[in-house]
Amino acid sequence: MTTRHYLGENTKAILNTLDAHGPMNRDQVVAATGIERDTVRQYLRRCAFRGLVTADRTVNPPVFATKPGWQAFLVTTRPPDKPKKPRPEPVTTVAIARQTQPNSVFALGAHQ
């Protein structure tokens, strides 16, 4: 079974750049895409974890390349957002006090 991923615009830009230019290190990807260095680092790590790119770590800095057939893992539509859970109504201190059981003789009405 093939796992399909919805890929964001930055991920697609990085993968398309690697596909077009061949193996590149992180700084070369930054120069080619214009995406910030830390963002590229994070997305390359995610792509490697998902199995979309390979990382040659025998050289410094590591060189990344797309795996053949990475486009088969793409999902073209974004999954629907999860429905938000309704927030409970705020409860006032007085309402909480009225819900509690009496804890003294005064609460039972002995002071009257």
Side-chain angles (χ1 to χ4, degrees):
M1 184 174 137
T2 302
T3 303
R4 299 189 182 275
H5 303 282
Y6 174 77
L7 300 178
E9 296 305 316
N10 285 341
T11 306
K12 288 179 189 175
I14 291 169
L15 289 172
N16 287 327
T17 300
L18 286 172
D19 208 27
H21 298 290
M24 302 171 80
N25 64 33
R26 179 178 58 205
D27 293 331
Q28 293 169 331
V29 174
V30 169
T33 60
I35 301 171
E36 289 187 27
R37 188 170 192 254
D38 287 337
T39 304
V40 169
R41 178 190 57 81
Q42 182 180 16
Y43 281 105
L44 284 172
R45 183 181 53 81
R46 289 179 185 174
C47 289
F49 179 76
R50 290 177 171 173
L52 300 173
V53 299
T54 59
D56 179 10
R57 299 190 189 284
T58 60
V59 294
N60 191 14
V63 175
F64 296 89
T66 55
K67 284 190 176 178
W70 66 268
Q71 292 92 347
F73 290 93
L74 292 179
V75 174
T76 55
T77 58
R78 184 179 182 93
D81 293 332
K82 293 180 182 177
K84 294 184 179 181
K85 295 181 181 177
R87 297 182 95 185
E89 291 293 323
V91 181
T92 63
T93 307
V94 175
I96 293 172
R98 289 183 180 157
Q99 292 173 357
T100 60
Q101 295 188 4
N103 56 3
S104 69
V105 292
F106 296 107
L108 292 171
H111 66 285
Q112 294 178 2

